[in-house]
Structure formats: C-alpha cells, structure tokens
Amino acid sequence: MSRILTFVAGVAVGALYHEEIKEGFDAIKAQQAEKIAKQAAQQVAQQITSPINSDDIEDVF
C-alpha cells in the first residue's frame, strides 16, 4: 500500500512541478553546451597559438 501511495505522490509532484523540472534540465543542458563550446574554442586557440615545430616542416629545397 505504501508503494502505491509513494507512486501516486511522485506522479502528483511530477505533474505539479513539470515545468520547473523541465526548465532546470534545460538550464543544465545549456550550461553543458556552453562549457563544451568554451573548451572547443580554447583548444582551437591553443592550436593556433602553439609554436610550429621545425621538425614537422619538410625542406623544399
């Protein structure tokens, strides 16, 4: 009986706070996307600003 009441209470809370829960998850997703974009930008910036290794350049002449 207590399992049924717990389930019903969970459904009721989920129904009442559905929008708030959804907004919270959306905010977390946005933060994660921003973090990933920031990391990618830092990686690109690091690759652009890293010195060129002379061993990687082949002599043309």
Side-chain angles (χ1 to χ4, degrees):
M1 183 69 173
S2 68
R3 286 184 181 180
I4 293 172
L5 291 176
T6 303
F7 175 75
V8 170
V11 170
V13 168
L16 290 173
Y17 294 105
H18 176 263
E19 282 300 316
E20 288 82 1
I21 293 169
K22 184 178 179 293
E23 289 173 4
F25 280 125
D26 289 345
I28 291 170
K29 285 181 189 178
Q31 286 176 348
Q32 289 175 343
E34 184 178 336
K35 181 180 176 183
I36 290 169
K38 197 178 288 186
Q39 288 173 344
Q42 287 175 345
Q43 187 177 17
V44 169
Q46 184 179 16
Q47 289 175 351
I48 290 172
T49 58
S50 66
I52 298 173
N53 187 356
S54 62
D55 295 336
D56 293 339
I57 302 173
E58 296 180 12
D59 291 332
V60 177
F61 300 104

